[in-house]
Structures are given as C-alpha cells and as structure tokens.
Amino acid sequence: MICHSIRFTLKPEVTPDEKAELVAKMRELFDAIPAVKSRVVGPDFGGKYEYGAVLVIEDINGYSDYMNHPAHLELDRLGLPFVDEFMSSDITDDPDPEIGAKIAEVHRIRFENVPDIADLISGLASYTGSAAPGPHGS
C-alpha cells in the first residue's frame, strides 16, 4: 500500500465559501478515481497547513493511475490557483527498495507530460514533494 498525503495553505484572499467548495470538489474528484481505495479530506490540525488529504492506493501502478487520472488533473487545474503553500509525501509498506525512486519517476513523467500542471506547481509560494518541478526542484 501507498498512503499519499497532501497538505496545503490557501491564499489569503480565498473566501470561506471558496474553501468549502474546494474541499467538496476534492472529495468528489478523489472518489471518481478507481485507484483510490480510501481517502480522508479535510482541515489539517497540528501544523502550519489549513487542509489536507490522505489517499490509500494499492501499489505503484495504482499510484501512476491516480496521478494521471483526468479527475486528478481536473482537481489540480481547479485547486492549485487557490493554493499558497503545498507539500506532498508518501508512506508505503511496499518491500521494493526502489519504490521511492519509482514514485518520484511517476511525478517526473507527469510533470513532463502535463506541463500546465508543472507550471501551476512552479508558481506556488512553496512546494515540497517528489520530483518537484521548476524553482521547487532540487
């Protein structure tokens, strides 16, 4: 299993109604992705982030399906313009010693094949995560 986690803050000008709509849309679109076996989406407590999500995905093939699913791309295009700071991470019990590199490769290929998403992420105030594009890359 791979538990994909995202945490983010929204831009100061985002209204409470827009925040509620964004969280509802996240739930709707994550539910449309068959590779997502379960998910939690909502407020984030105990840190600097306002909201977050944890998605349970069976394996690296499902992870790739999730990352490239049209509903995920739609969510990125709708939501990232409202985001200020963003981080993603993955926790897995997959015994493959190369799983971290495989996850980073899924992100790298996605950013290469979907440049408008890479541009949206590059424009965030801060981003940490696998294969970060643009100014957030290492």
Side-chain angles (χ1 to χ4, degrees):
M1 289 291 171
I2 300 170
C3 290
H4 179 66
S5 169
I6 62 169
R7 304 171 78 188
F8 57 93
T9 59
L10 296 169
K11 294 177 179 174
E13 63 270 22
V14 178
T15 68
D17 286 346
E18 289 171 326
K19 291 178 181 181
E21 289 173 23
L22 180 60
V23 170
K25 196 67 172 177
M26 288 175 68
R27 291 178 178 136
E28 174 192 325
L29 292 174
F30 285 148
D31 288 346
I33 303 173
V36 175
K37 300 306 178 192
S38 65
R39 55 97 179 134
V40 174
V41 177
D44 185 323
F45 298 101
K48 72 175 188 177
Y49 298 101
E50 294 179 84
Y51 294 96
V54 176
L55 310 164
V56 177
I57 301 165
E58 189 164 329
D59 57 24
I60 192 67
N61 293 326
Y63 193 87
S64 180
D65 292 345
Y66 157 72
M67 282 293 167
N68 296 292
H69 193 280
H72 188 199
L73 300 177
E74 179 183 348
L75 180 58
D76 281 349
R77 291 179 177 116
L78 289 171
L80 286 172
F82 293 99
V83 171
D84 191 29
E85 297 183 48
F86 186 95
M87 67 81 59
S88 72
S89 66
D90 300 287
I91 300 171
T92 182
D93 59 1
D94 190 312
D96 182 349
E98 300 298 320
I99 191 67
K102 290 177 180 177
I103 288 171
E105 184 66 4
V106 167
H107 285 272
R108 190 196 63 73
I109 291 170
R110 178 176 184 256
F111 293 139
E112 183 177 295
N113 292 338
V114 193
D116 65 307
I117 301 293
D119 288 346
L120 287 169
I121 291 172
S122 293
L124 298 176
S126 73
Y127 173 90
T128 58
S130 294
H136 309 299
S138 53

